[in-house]
């Protein structure tokens, strides 16, 4: 089977489970089936990343799209969203491999317009999103499951994406394409950070969220819906009330309190928090804010700094430290059910048209938005 950005035959045989349980399984198709709502296009535009780093790498091209092969689905992309991951890819700093001339961006949502032979549940007209790791179905992440959209495989910044059916999930019915496009990377990372350790967050526990970026905002919404008390740190006075409006019980401004871990302990009567979702790499302070037998989910470091960590801080509170790598298909499905059950809506800061993708990247990098930056397609 040919993937969006390369041959992925090594993964096809191992991961052949069916589609989402919420969708009735249809008979397998024997030929590519066009949609009755949107015609299969004769040409499609896609952005590509050339050599070097920065926005000069980004170019727009028009080409004839290929029809889906066995087990594949053609999706007319309606919206994509940017995350910090996309800035790292653009800068040539991403931790995982990125193929030359890749179509960037892992996160998108769209409408099925054609399906290939052997497709089990997807049908033209379905609204779908795709997992960042298309072949990670469930369980532990392994080296052979690392192919990813917008990295070693072509991504979603295109008018038409041909994707493995096993990577696709239905969009929650109450969400728009723009909202659904925000889920695959930061939305799922936040869900994994709160639930992926096996125990998960329990009602009445206290969760500390560092910062107000994309992962942090999803974490705030999920933790609040899970019944946790939520403390958020921010460096912006303008964002403090908006974070409270989104469900934060307490907000600590780290510019006013550089020792924000002390402020967090004060807010918890000296006990500390049960879980920290650390998006800044500030592990020393995260550990100092943690209760005994607490959990730190390390998402990354938006500052680019990786200060050293004294192991005694871990032992001092018998802490668990876990690095979070987005999440599996099974976790995505569980997250979608939770989002639907609680009618959660992702926060979108600004929307750009497809032709202004470079402006969207620039805005995301410099504007410090509160919410996701989305690019509409078609």
């Amino acid at each position: 089977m040919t993937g969006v950005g390369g041959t992925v035959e090594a993964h096809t045989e191992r991961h052949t489970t069916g589609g989402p349980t919420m969708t009735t399984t249809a008979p397998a198709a024997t030929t590519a089936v066009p949609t009755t709502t949107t015609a299969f296009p004769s040409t499609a535009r896609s952005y590509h990343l050339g050599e070097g780093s920065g926005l000069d790498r980004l170019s727009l091209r028009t080409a004839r799209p290929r029809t889906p092969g066995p087990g594949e689905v053609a999706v007319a992309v309606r919206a994509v969203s940017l995350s910090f991951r996309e800035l790292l890819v653009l800068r040539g700093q991403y931790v995982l491999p990125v193929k030359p001339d890749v179509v960037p961006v892992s996160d998108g949502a769209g409408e099925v317009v054609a399906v290939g032979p052997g497709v089990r549940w997807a049908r033209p007209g379905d609204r779908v999103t795709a997992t960042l790791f298309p072949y990670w179905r469930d369980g532990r992440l392994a080296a052979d499951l690392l192919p990813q959209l917008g990295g070693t495989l072509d991504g979603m910044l295109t008018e038409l994406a041909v994707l493995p059916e096993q990577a696709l999930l239905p969009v929650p019915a109450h969400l728009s394409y723009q909202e659904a496009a925000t889920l695959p990377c930061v939305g799922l990372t936040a869900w994994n950070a709160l639930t992926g350790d096996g125990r998960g967050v329990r009602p009445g526990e206290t969760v500390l969220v560092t910062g107000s970026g994309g992962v942090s905002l999803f974490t705030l919404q999920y933790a609040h819906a899970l019944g946790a008390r939520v403390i958020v740190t921010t460096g912006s006075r303008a964002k403090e009330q908006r974070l409270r409006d989104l469900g934060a019980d307490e907000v600590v401004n780290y510019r006013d309190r550089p020792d924000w871990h002390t402020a967090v302990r004060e807010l918890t009567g000296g006990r500390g928090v049960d879980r920290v979702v650390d998006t800044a790499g500030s592990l020393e302070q995260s550990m100092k804010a943690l209760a005994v037998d607490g959990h730190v989910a390390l998402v990354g470091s938006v500052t680019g700094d990786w200060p050293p960590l004294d192991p005694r801080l871990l032992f001092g509170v018998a802490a668990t430290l876990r690095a979070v790598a987005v999440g599996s298909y099974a976790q995505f499905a569980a997250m979608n059910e939770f989002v639907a059950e609680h009618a959660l809506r992702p926060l979108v800061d600004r929307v750009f048209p497809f032709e202004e993708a470079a402006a969207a990247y620039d805005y995301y990098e410099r504007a410090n938005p509160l919410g996701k930056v989305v690019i509409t397609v078609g």
Side-chain angles (χ1 to χ4, degrees):
M1 179 177 70
T2 302
V4 225
T7 300
V8 291
E9 296 174 354
H11 305 285
T12 308
E13 191 72 22
R14 293 179 49 193
H15 306 282
T16 54
T17 57
T21 56
M22 66 199 77
T23 304
T24 301
T25 300
T30 57
T31 58
V33 179
T35 180
T36 57
T37 56
T38 301
F40 192 86
S42 59
T43 61
R45 295 178 298 168
S46 303
Y47 282 93
H48 295 257
L49 288 182
E51 296 182 357
S53 62
L55 284 173
D56 290 343
R57 299 177 65 195
L58 195 64
S59 63
L60 181 62
R61 302 180 205 162
T62 301
R64 182 181 179 88
R66 68 178 180 87
T67 57
E72 292 183 327
V73 175
V75 176
V77 181
R78 301 304 186 202
V80 302
S81 73
L82 300 180
S83 63
F84 188 68
R85 172 194 185 273
E86 306 309 333
L87 293 184
L88 295 177
V89 172
L90 188 71
R91 297 166 184 166
Q93 298 173 343
Y94 192 49
V95 66
L96 293 175
V98 176
K99 74 167 187 167
D101 203 41
V102 70
V103 175
V105 183
S106 62
D107 291 21
E111 178 189 349
V112 174
V113 295
V115 301
V119 165
R120 299 184 62 183
W121 66 269
R123 285 294 176 264
D126 288 349
R127 300 193 318 142
V128 295
T129 54
T131 57
L132 186 149
F133 294 106
Y135 308 107
W136 183 15
R137 297 290 297 181
D138 200 356
R140 296 176 61 181
L141 182 61
D144 65 330
L145 304 179
L146 287 176
Q148 59 190 283
L149 300 184
T152 47
L153 306 173
D154 281 334
M156 301 295 283
L157 195 53
T158 177
E159 292 178 320
L160 188 80
V162 180
L163 302 160
E165 184 194 30
Q166 66 183 45
L168 300 179
L169 299 98
V171 169
H174 71 291
L175 296 184
S176 67
Y177 282 123
Q178 294 178 16
E179 292 169 324
T182 70
L183 296 174
C185 183
V186 298
L188 185 53
T189 298
W191 179 255
N192 189 355
L194 292 174
T195 68
D197 61 318
R199 182 173 70 177
V201 172
R202 301 168 183 174
E205 291 187 336
T206 303
V207 174
L208 171 64
V209 183
T210 65
S212 54
V215 173
S216 299
L217 292 178
F218 272 106
T219 303
L220 165 57
Q221 289 180 286
Y222 294 160
H224 178 73
L226 285 165
R229 179 191 184 197
V230 187
I231 302 173
V232 183
T233 67
T234 182
S236 169
R237 290 189 183 279
K239 292 181 179 180
E240 290 182 19
Q241 186 55 51
R242 295 195 66 190
L243 292 169
R244 290 189 175 91
D245 293 341
L246 287 169
D249 295 283
E250 305 285 351
V251 178
V252 176
N253 192 311
Y254 56 76
R255 300 196 188 280
D256 296 335
R257 291 292 303 267
D259 62 336
W260 52 262
H261 62 280
T262 303
V264 169
R265 283 210 167 269
E266 292 169 357
L267 290 171
T268 58
R271 176 182 178 273
V273 300
D274 298 286
R275 184 171 301 239
V276 181
V277 178
D278 190 332
T279 65
S282 51
L283 284 175
E284 179 176 346
Q285 285 185 282
S286 292
M287 290 294 175
K288 290 180 177 179
L290 203 62
V292 173
D293 195 30
H295 183 104
V296 175
L298 176 61
V299 173
S301 174
V302 294
T303 65
D305 296 329
W306 295 97
L309 175 66
D310 186 344
R312 289 174 294 186
L313 292 173
L314 281 167
F315 283 98
V317 288
T320 298
L321 172 62
R322 182 173 63 101
V324 177
V326 192
S328 68
Y329 183 101
Q331 289 174 308
F332 203 146
M335 176 192 71
N336 274 355
E337 290 182 7
F338 184 83
V339 167
E341 178 186 355
H342 293 273
L344 299 179
R345 290 192 176 276
L347 187 63
V348 175
D349 178 274
R350 186 169 172 182
V351 178
F352 289 80
F354 187 68
E355 294 75 14
E356 297 179 17
Y361 271 93
D362 180 65
Y363 175 80
Y364 177 73
E365 186 169 22
R366 64 178 174 78
N368 192 25
L370 186 68
K372 296 290 288 179
V373 175
V374 171
I375 300 169
T376 56
V377 187

